[in-house]
Amino acid sequence: GAGVSQSPSNKVTEKGKDVELRCDPISGHTALYWYRQSLGQGLEFLIYFQGNSAPDKSGLPSDRFSAERTGGSVSTLTIQRTQQEDSAVYLCASRPGTSGYNEQFFGPGTRLTVL
Amino acid sequence: DQQVKQNSPSLSVQEGRISILNCDYTNSMFDYFLWYKKYPAEGPTFLISISSIKDKNEDGRFTVFLNKSAKHLSLHIVPSQPGDSAVYFCAFSGNTGKLIFGQGTTLQVKP
């Protein structure tokens, strides 16, 4: 079956512009996560959606970052007024079930470059 | 405040020998421990995991060891193969499934 897909694969934008990154999780997966990996760094948790529960936004670095998950499936991560420090690979992952002990399946990521 | 540390940014091993990757953590609330492998331009892929009630889990060439008293996690790959060359991340989780990742170790297995 299809894995997690993300679009676009690469995005170059100018400082101050807004960007939207899309994630299509594996069908039936109830949990969806966004992470980012800055150059030379590990993966940093951003936000977590589980079913119809309120999302865990504790990892969002500023109020310029927001995310939605419509219909319990597709998710969009929006970054407003992008800054150069937002340049990173943004990774989406999904996980089946409600138990915390399932592995997460990652998409290929979106490489964001803010000029 | 780094809760997870992979102190070796890189490791080079000869094909056929053992690769040992290490990870230290500070948060004793973690109860599930994972290793992910990442190739360039791809997302991380799950490799192996262990729960806090165990100290060892083996899957083929891969074995994960957990030392809770030392708050230390390690991954052994034996025998190492050139296709194992990748970046390896340790990751830790509580019951939400939210993962806290280490900084990664780049493993190079030389033929």
Side-chain angles (χ1 to χ4, degrees):
Chain A
V4 178
S5 61
Q6 292 186 244
S7 60
S9 55
N10 281 283
K11 176 72 176 178
V12 180
T13 190
E14 294 180 348
K15 178 182 172 181
K17 295 288 180 70
D18 297 352
V19 295
E20 283 190 353
L21 312 179
R22 176 186 169 106
C23 172
D24 285 87
I26 294 173
S27 178
H29 281 195
T30 60
L32 186 148
Y33 303 80
W34 283 97
Y35 297 86
R36 73 175 176 182
Q37 184 180 16
S38 302
L39 189 63
Q41 302 296 314
L43 280 76
E44 174 191 5
F45 166 78
L46 297 177
I47 188 168
Y48 159 48
F49 296 89
Q50 174 60 64
N52 296 321
S53 302
D56 177 351
K57 304 178 181 180
S58 60
L60 295 179
S62 79
D63 58 8
R64 296 185 295 104
F65 288 72
S66 63
E68 291 184 340
R69 189 178 185 192
T70 54
S73 180
V74 172
S75 178
T76 302
L77 177 70
T78 302
I79 308 174
Q80 296 178 310
R81 305 180 303 282
T82 52
Q83 304 294 312
Q84 288 182 333
E85 61 264 28
D86 299 334
S87 296
V89 176
Y90 287 81
L91 290 153
C92 175
S94 70
R95 175 172 65 82
T98 56
S99 165
Y101 304 127
N102 306 115
E103 64 178 277
Q104 294 182 21
F105 295 83
F106 282 81
T110 294
R111 180 175 296 278
L112 174 66
T113 303
V114 182
L115 301 177
Chain B
D1 178 24
Q2 286 186 320
Q3 299 186 66
V4 180
K5 285 187 179 179
Q6 290 180 255
N7 291 316
S8 297
S10 64
L11 175 67
S12 182
V13 171
Q14 203 67 34
E15 181 179 7
R17 306 295 291 266
I18 186 171
S19 297
I20 300 176
L21 299 113
N22 295 300
C23 196
D24 296 301
Y25 62 97
T26 58
N27 190 337
S28 58
M29 297 302 291
F30 291 139
D31 54 7
Y32 198 59
F33 308 86
L34 309 92
W35 284 96
Y36 277 81
K37 174 179 175 180
K38 186 179 185 300
Y39 293 116
E42 294 183 10
T45 55
F46 170 76
L47 195 55
I48 193 169
S49 63
I50 188 169
S51 72
S52 59
I53 62 173
K54 295 186 176 181
D55 55 17
K56 177 182 175 181
N57 187 26
E58 189 172 351
D59 182 2
R61 297 186 296 113
F62 303 91
T63 303
V64 56
F65 295 92
L66 175 63
N67 183 333
K68 289 187 290 294
S69 61
K71 294 190 176 68
H72 182 80
L73 184 75
S74 65
L75 174 68
H76 293 203
I77 306 172
V78 55
S80 302
Q81 299 173 354
D84 296 330
S85 298
V87 180
Y88 289 79
F89 293 95
C90 58
F92 299 79
S93 174
N95 61 5
T96 66
K98 179 173 73 177
L99 294 175
I100 308 297
F101 283 87
Q103 299 81 5
T105 297
T106 299
L107 173 66
Q108 183 184 25
V109 180
K110 297 179 178 179

